[in-house]
Amino acid sequence: MAMREMGVGAKVGGDGCRVCSGRTYVIERQGDQAQARVCVCSESCSVCEGRGHVLVEREAVFSQKVGPKRYEVMEPCTCTRRRRRVSLYNEVRLPGVVAHASFDNYRAFNEAQDRGRGVAMHFGHQYVKGATSKGFILSGPVGTGKTHLLAATLGHLVIEVGVRARYVEISLLYATIRRGFQEGKSGGEIIGPLSEVEVLAIDELGKGRGSPFEMETLDELIARRYNAGRTTLFATNYSLEPEKKQRTHGPTGYRTTEDARAAVKDYELLRERVGERIYSRLCEMCTFVELPKDTPDRRRTRQEMDSLHNPPAGMRSAGR
């Protein structure tokens, strides 16, 4: 049954903690994964005094003749929900590099990126646990914050809504299944949990060699989720356009070999990478958001700015 659960009891006002800023939990990088923990400021609970449950009063109508009736029921305390959701977050397996990711610290350089943030944030804040919801797919060049938005969305869903979710980078999934074959496991054993989780985020969609094994694996995973009506989010470097656009090459029509290679790369379509069957299902499963090819690479821009403001010691000395 669809339901909206309570949050994890973020502190407000003067109760803000310097470590967690009042959120009551901390997400940090541990090795190659993002991991959550209950903040030290919230390890002890003054509400339930460590029991984990509280007695709350509810009101409901059991009989039209009697009318509303109040009753008491035992429910998990906020501290119990917090511990459960921190544990759920650690099952998502988000990359450590996006441990900091949130909707608030996503920087948009253009209108399309701002729309992408809006789509992801609206999805996260409007999501109802257990309901059938349309996902989204973000397309754009490398370094434009697609994984950041996937991480921010999953983090919100898991911590604030209590949704069971998973993240997978598609080429790593292929590698995991190949290793599983060597250990005597079937691809279905690995795909199974990903098929059943409530919300799944698939990053780098379209990446790979396009081998029969890869295409069959992707088709099975998406087919299972599509048939079950489960929500899936995607990010890809390939264009979401239905077909390639005609390009002009100047007055002479001449272009170098490098120009030709760049043209193929820039205009390679997701539709061609995943095939008509999967692309058709994506059209039904997701809201499409495409970032322009000239969207700045956030990582490259950050590196260039750091180099500008903090030149190497030898360069600083030479400039004096």
Side-chain angles (χ1 to χ4, degrees):
M1 180 177 66
M3 60 186 298
R4 181 170 290 278
E5 295 189 3
M6 298 174 64
V8 294
K11 295 183 178 181
V12 296
D15 294 326
C17 168
R18 290 184 178 181
V19 177
C20 69
S21 301
R23 293 186 303 174
T24 71
Y25 62 91
V26 177
I27 298 176
E28 53 199 359
R29 182 174 187 168
Q30 291 187 15
D32 63 350
Q33 289 191 4
Q35 294 284 291
R37 61 178 173 83
V38 175
C39 184
V40 66
C41 73
S42 301
E43 289 180 346
S44 299
C45 182
S46 60
V47 177
C48 70
E49 298 180 342
R51 290 186 294 270
H53 291 76
V54 291
L55 190 65
V56 297
E57 188 176 78
R58 295 283 184 244
E59 182 178 291
V61 177
F62 299 99
S63 168
Q64 293 296 330
K65 184 177 181 180
V66 177
K69 184 178 181 180
R70 292 182 177 275
Y71 63 98
E72 291 184 326
V73 63
M74 292 292 292
E75 289 189 352
C77 181
T78 299
C79 68
T80 299
R81 291 198 303 272
R82 184 182 303 122
R83 287 193 298 271
R84 287 177 180 171
R85 294 183 186 184
V86 162
S87 179
L88 280 178
Y89 182 92
N90 293 335
E91 294 176 5
V92 178
R93 301 182 186 177
L94 281 166
V97 71
V98 289
H100 69 288
S102 71
F103 295 127
D104 291 337
N105 62 22
Y106 179 79
R107 185 179 177 186
F109 289 96
N110 54 42
E111 186 177 342
Q113 279 185 298
D114 193 51
R115 176 175 177 259
R117 175 180 177 272
V119 167
M121 188 162 59
H122 182 269
F123 172 88
H125 286 288
Q126 297 301 315
Y127 188 88
V128 177
K129 187 178 180 181
T132 300
S133 300
K134 191 172 185 178
F136 60 81
I137 177 168
L138 303 170
S139 164
V142 297
T144 50
K146 302 183 297 296
T147 304
H148 181 121
L149 289 178
L150 289 183
T153 303
L154 294 185
H156 177 85
L157 291 179
V158 174
I159 297 289
E160 300 302 332
V161 188
V163 174
R164 188 176 293 276
R166 277 289 305 274
Y167 166 92
V168 63
E169 199 267 278
I170 198 64
S171 62
L172 295 182
L173 174 61
Y174 297 148
T176 299
I177 295 176
R178 288 190 181 99
R179 285 196 300 270
F181 289 157
Q182 298 173 359
E183 299 169 1
K185 297 180 181 178
S186 68
E189 290 180 72
I190 298 171
I191 289 177
L194 298 177
S195 305
E196 297 168 4
V197 72
E198 184 168 343
V199 177
L200 173 67
I202 299 178
D203 206 353
E204 300 285 358
L205 181 63
K207 185 178 180 180
R209 293 173 295 180
S211 66
F213 158 74
E214 292 178 349
M215 298 304 292
E216 288 169 9
T217 298
L218 182 61
D219 184 68
E220 180 180 352
L221 177 56
I222 292 180
R224 285 194 187 191
R225 296 193 60 81
Y226 173 83
N227 293 333
R230 294 194 172 96
T231 302
T232 312
L233 314 177
F234 301 89
T236 180
N237 294 332
Y238 298 98
S239 175
L240 301 177
E241 294 172 1
E243 57 186 24
K244 290 184 177 179
K245 295 179 178 178
Q246 294 293 325
R247 299 189 66 182
T248 57
H249 312 298
T252 63
Y254 172 78
R255 58 178 177 176
T256 65
T257 302
E258 288 302 316
D259 288 338
R261 289 174 180 171
V264 171
K265 183 178 179 181
D266 289 348
Y267 283 83
E268 196 161 5
L269 306 180
L270 181 65
R271 179 179 181 177
E272 297 173 342
R273 297 292 302 180
V274 301
E276 293 293 337
R277 174 185 168 90
I278 292 176
Y279 182 81
S280 176
R281 287 179 170 173
L282 294 177
C283 292
E284 185 175 340
M285 295 169 70
C286 298
T287 297
F288 282 21
V289 179
E290 180 141 18
L291 308 180
K293 293 296 181 183
D294 59 355
T295 301
D297 182 332
R298 293 151 55 95
R299 294 185 288 265
R300 182 174 175 178
T301 300
R302 189 181 302 116
Q303 174 63 32
E304 291 172 347
M305 291 299 293
D306 288 345
S307 299
L308 180 63
H309 294 295
N310 301 291
M315 293 181 64
R316 288 199 297 268
S317 299
R320 289 177 182 173

